[in-house]
Amino acid sequence: MQGTEFITRFEKYCPQWLAEPGDPVGLHIGTLNKPVKKVMMSLDVRPAVVQEAIEKKIDLLVVKHPPIFRPVERLTTDDVQTKMYADLLQHDIAVYAAHTNMDIIENGLNDWFCELLGVKNTRYLVETHQIRQKKLAVFVPNENAKALRQALAEAGAGKQGNYEATSYSINGMGRFTPTLGAKPAIGQVGTPEQVQETKIEVIFNEQLEETVVAAMKAAHPYEEPAYDIYTLDNGAKKFGIGRIGELAQAQATEDFIALVKQQFQLAGLRVVYPKIKKEQIKTVAICGGSGEKFYWQAVAAQADVYLTGDVYYHTAHDMQETGMLVIDPGHYIEQLCKEKMVAQFNQWKNEESWDAEFIVSETSTNPFSFK
Ligand SMILES: [Zn+2]
C-alpha cells in the first residue's frame, strides 16, 4: 500500500476542507510517497508515542491532534519535545493529522460519543460547512446529445439521492455566425447558421464543477460551447461541529453523570451545576475536545446538559447562570477515535486488499490523574 493511496481513501471519508479555518490538518512530518506497511493511530504525538512507533516499526502515524499546532521555534535534540520530530524523521515515520475535520465529518468522533451515551435523533450543534448544488445547462447539436449526457454522468453529474445519471433535455434552435479566426464544427465563417440543438440540464455538487465543465468541453463538438452554470438554493448538504439529540428516556441528573463516567471509563469528571437545579436530563449536547466556546449554542438549543472538555474556571461561572448542566469529562475522551478509526482502516483494507497492518497506540497520553 502506498502512503498516498491510503490517505486518498482516508480523505474521501474525512476531507481536509471540513476542518475549521486555520486548523493545520494533513501531512505534518515525512512523506506519503512511500510504501506503507504499518499504520498506528494515536490521539497525540508525544515522546512516548514516538518511542512506541519506533519499536513497532511504524511507517505512518495518524493522529487527531496536529503535532505542530503552534509553530516550532527551535529544533534542538536536547529537548525531548523537539527531539521527537528528529526521531520521527530519522526513522522515516510520517505523521498525518485529522483534527476538527474528524469532529465534523458524518460518522465521526461526535457521532461515536452520541452512540456511546445513547443519544438519538442527532442534529449539528453548530453548522460549519455546506456543499451546495449547482446546475449546468448546455446546448449541443441533437446528434451529440447522448454522448454528452453520458460524459456528464461519468464525471459525476446528475447524482440525486439513490439515483445517478439524472438529466433533463429539451430541443430548440441554436443560432450563430462564425467570424474571422473561428474554426466552426458546423457552418462557415461569415455565414449565419442555425442548428437543431438539445439543451441538457444536470445538477452536480459544487466541488465537482471543474471536473464536470472539463468533461462537458471534451465531449462537446463546438469550438465555443454555450453553457450556463448556476447555484441552487435547494439541496445543499450541511456539516457541523458538535451534536445535540435526545436520550430514549429522561434520566435523573445523577444517573446521567454516572452513565458518562462509566461509558468513558473515567476515574473522575467535573460537573458545573446550574444555580437552578436540573432534575432530569433528556436533551444532550456534546462537543469533544475543547468546545466551551459553543456552550451558548447548547443553551439556545435548550440542551439539559452540555458535555465538553477543558472548561475554563471563569467560563464555568458563566455556565452556572444558564440553567444548563455542564459535564467536563476531560479532553482525553477523544481517545475513542483510536479504536474507531482503526476499525474503519481495517474495513478499507478488506475492500482495497491492502497488504498493511493497522494498530491502535497503546500509550496513554492523558496528562491528568485523579487521586
Ligand atoms: Zn482534541
Side-chain angles (χ1 to χ4, degrees):
M1 180 183 76
Q2 285 291 312
T4 45
E5 194 185 350
F6 170 71
I7 291 299
T8 301
R9 183 67 191 81
F10 180 86
E11 290 185 351
K12 261 193 202 171
Y13 159 75
C14 187
Q16 291 196 28
W17 63 267
L18 273 181
E20 288 199 317
D23 187 7
V25 293
L27 183 69
H28 266 235
I29 292 167
T31 179
L32 295 169
N33 289 309
K34 63 172 186 178
V36 168
K37 286 217 113 177
K38 216 166 171 189
V39 178
M40 184 165 83
M41 179 75 207
S42 174
L43 179 58
D44 302 286
V45 182
R46 303 294 307 143
V49 174
V50 174
Q51 276 315 306
E52 184 188 1
I54 294 169
E55 278 157 28
K56 293 181 175 169
K57 298 194 167 22
I58 298 301
D59 301 304
L60 172 63
L61 189 56
V62 180
V63 293
K64 173 135 199 298
H65 293 140
I68 311 177
F69 194 70
R70 296 181 190 90
V72 176
E73 291 176 345
R74 302 281 188 279
L75 266 177
T76 59
T77 48
D78 297 327
D79 176 339
V80 288
Q81 296 221 62
T82 47
K83 183 177 179 292
M84 68 180 190
Y85 301 121
D87 289 341
L88 287 162
L89 288 168
Q90 197 182 338
H91 291 87
D92 194 19
I93 300 169
V95 183
Y96 179 95
H99 187 211
T100 49
N101 41 344
M102 198 187 288
D103 298 315
I104 291 171
I105 48 167
E106 287 177 296
N107 190 23
L109 194 53
N110 284 302
D111 297 305
W112 302 327
F113 290 148
C114 287
E115 253 172 58
L116 205 59
L117 297 173
V119 179
K120 309 259 192 244
N121 181 32
T122 54
R123 290 88 69 192
Y124 299 126
L125 185 60
V126 182
E127 280 182 12
T128 54
H129 299 77
Q130 59 174 343
I131 304 176
R132 290 167 309 171
Q133 290 286 312
K134 290 198 170 193
K135 180 170 273 193
L136 167 71
V138 55
F139 305 84
V140 65
N142 289 350
E143 61 268 29
N144 302 101
K146 191 177 174 193
L148 184 54
R149 275 194 293 266
Q150 196 176 333
L152 291 168
E154 280 167 11
K159 286 201 173 126
Q160 189 168 351
N162 293 327
Y163 297 82
E164 59 179 20
T166 67
S167 69
Y168 179 79
S169 299
I170 191 165
N171 292 333
M173 190 68 78
R175 293 179 183 82
F176 51 87
T177 303
T179 58
L180 207 61
K183 295 187 186 70
I186 297 171
Q188 290 172 350
V189 170
T191 309
E193 189 60 64
Q194 60 179 34
V195 180
Q196 289 285 344
E197 290 181 349
T198 306
K199 178 186 185 188
I200 302 172
E201 293 184 34
V202 285
I203 54 162
F204 57 90
N205 88 44
E206 61 182 342
Q207 293 178 311
L208 284 177
E209 183 165 341
E210 264 182 49
T211 312
V212 168
V213 171
M216 179 273 287
K217 287 186 174 171
H220 202 293
Y222 284 180
E223 189 177 24
E224 299 285 353
Y227 66 98
D228 311 321
I229 289 178
Y230 34 99
T231 303
L232 304 183
D233 285 336
N234 60 320
K237 181 169 175 52
K238 293 183 172 168
F239 297 88
I241 197 160
R243 301 289 185 267
I244 183 163
E246 287 83 34
L247 299 170
Q249 279 177 338
Q251 291 187 20
T253 296
E254 293 307 314
D255 291 347
F256 182 75
I257 294 169
L259 174 81
V260 173
K261 208 171 155 183
Q262 180 208 327
Q263 289 300 81
F264 289 110
Q265 299 170 22
L266 303 171
L269 45 69
R270 300 193 299 169
V271 181
V272 184
Y273 287 100
K275 292 270 174 67
I276 305 158
K277 204 168 176 216
K278 177 70 73 185
E279 304 280 356
Q280 290 215 307
I281 302 294
K282 174 86 176 164
T283 303
V284 178
I286 186 160
C287 184
S290 307
E292 67 171 24
K293 66 180 169 188
F294 303 127
Y295 87 90
W296 270 115
Q297 276 92 341
V299 172
Q302 297 187 307
D304 296 314
V305 62
Y306 182 40
L307 279 95
T308 197
D310 297 342
V311 173
Y312 179 60
Y313 179 85
H314 295 293
T315 311
H317 281 155
D318 297 338
M319 287 168 164
Q320 279 189 308
E321 307 300 330
T322 64
M324 179 179 73
L325 183 80
V326 177
I327 299 177
D328 180 345
H331 200 131
Y332 193 64
I333 61 164
E334 290 192 325
Q335 68 150 335
L336 180 64
C337 72
K338 295 198 282 187
E339 58 179 87
K340 287 286 191 182
M341 286 310 314
V342 168
Q344 183 68 78
F345 297 163
N346 279 319
Q347 195 187 316
W348 299 336
K349 175 184 163 167
N350 289 339
E351 288 167 15
E352 311 281 344
S353 306
W354 285 333
D355 176 21
E357 192 187 344
F358 299 94
I359 63 168
V360 169
S361 166
E362 289 169 293
T363 307
S364 167
T365 53
N366 191 357
F368 299 112
S369 304
F370 287 91
K371 294 291 174 198

